Amino acid sequence: SGTYAGQPSSRTVRIAAHRVPQRPDGVLWNGTSLSPRGPDEDGPGWHYDPESRVVTVQFRGPVHASHRVVIEDVGPHSHF
């Protein structure tokens, strides 16, 4: 991981998890619960689209850091 002049200290990260069989009970980012949000809302949170079976997670975090995202209780593992 490199750096450059004028590099921002944080960035927006958007993750799309596909083939999620049902709406999750919740989403955690680095152990913190994220709130559900509408599909067109900006800012941190998550959205589930039942037609495409996609969970989209968005947050803003430090550029040079690892992030852990957990999508909670989405049904039996055999459905993935």
Side-chain angles (χ1 to χ4, degrees):
S1 69
T3 60
Y4 58 91
Q7 181 177 20
S9 60
S10 63
R11 64 178 167 204
T12 298
V13 177
R14 183 175 293 133
I15 299 167
H18 296 261
R19 296 180 55 203
V20 179
Q22 65 188 40
R23 185 180 192 275
D25 282 349
V27 175
L28 301 175
W29 166 57
N30 292 336
T32 301
S33 182
L34 293 174
S35 298
R37 61 180 178 83
D40 298 322
E41 290 181 61
D42 201 16
W46 62 274
H47 172 74
Y48 178 65
D49 181 348
E51 288 186 27
S52 63
R53 299 186 317 155
V54 173
V55 174
T56 303
V57 180
Q58 182 171 304
F59 57 87
R60 188 159 183 83
V63 170
H64 294 291
S66 296
H67 303 282
R68 180 181 172 143
V69 173
V70 176
I71 300 172
E72 297 183 305
D73 198 13
V74 293
H77 296 296
S78 62
H79 288 149
F80 274 94

